[in-house]
Amino acid sequence: MQLWVSVRHQSCVVVVDLNTYQVVKVLRPPVLAAKVGAADAACPGGIAFSGGMAFVPSFFGDAVVIYDAQQKNWLKTLPLKQAHNGQSVRMNEPFAAVEYAGKIYISSHTSGNNTVPRITSGVDLEDVGVQL
């Protein structure tokens, strides 16, 4: 049995073996030479699992980092952006993640105070347009 934990200030996800209480893996996406810092991994949020993958919102990267949950390695970083009125719009500060009926939903940290966050983006894992 394992426990996956987001460590915000280390910009990583730690996998802990619950039988031995030992860290078995520290996960971070690769940082490209053209980027400054760990933007894609910066401040990971909640973790949702589906289809053998772990989906981790990147608070400062405006993206979802996707890991292979079995092999415990990085698969891809999916930017949360879409064209709106001719402009490229990004989700600001994605934070929470949940799986429901084969879809991953991500909510923004800035969706409101003292309110239930609205679901702002769904990734249909069966959608041929989603490249995982």
Side-chain angles (χ1 to χ4, degrees):
M1 220 151 81
Q2 300 174 344
L3 175 67
W4 288 52
V5 181
S6 291
V7 184
R8 290 189 62 182
H9 299 294
Q10 294 294 321
S11 296
C12 68
V13 173
V14 173
V15 182
V16 178
D17 182 318
L18 291 178
N19 293 318
T20 64
Y21 300 107
Q22 299 293 313
V23 172
V24 294
K25 189 77 172 187
V26 176
L27 299 168
R28 288 185 179 95
V31 178
L32 302 175
K35 292 192 174 189
V36 176
D40 286 342
C43 289
I47 304 170
F49 295 91
S50 183
M53 294 175 281
F55 297 82
V56 184
S58 170
F59 187 80
F60 291 128
D62 292 335
V64 174
V65 180
I66 304 170
Y67 296 102
D68 181 317
Q70 303 302 316
Q71 300 297 316
K72 295 174 195 62
N73 58 8
W74 174 82
L75 292 174
K76 103 176 266 175
T77 299
L78 182 67
L80 294 175
K81 64 181 178 180
Q82 186 170 356
H84 179 72
N85 292 333
Q87 300 292 319
S88 179
V89 179
R90 299 180 71 88
M91 176 187 279
N92 288 324
E93 301 174 356
F95 183 70
V98 67
E99 182 275 337
Y100 178 74
K103 292 185 179 182
I104 297 296
Y105 293 92
I106 306 296
S107 68
S108 171
H109 179 66
T110 59
S111 63
N113 292 327
N114 299 319
T115 63
V116 175
R118 60 188 170 89
I119 294 174
T120 58
S121 180
V123 175
D124 185 345
L125 299 179
E126 300 300 320
D127 185 348
V128 295
V130 175
Q131 300 296 317
L132 297 178

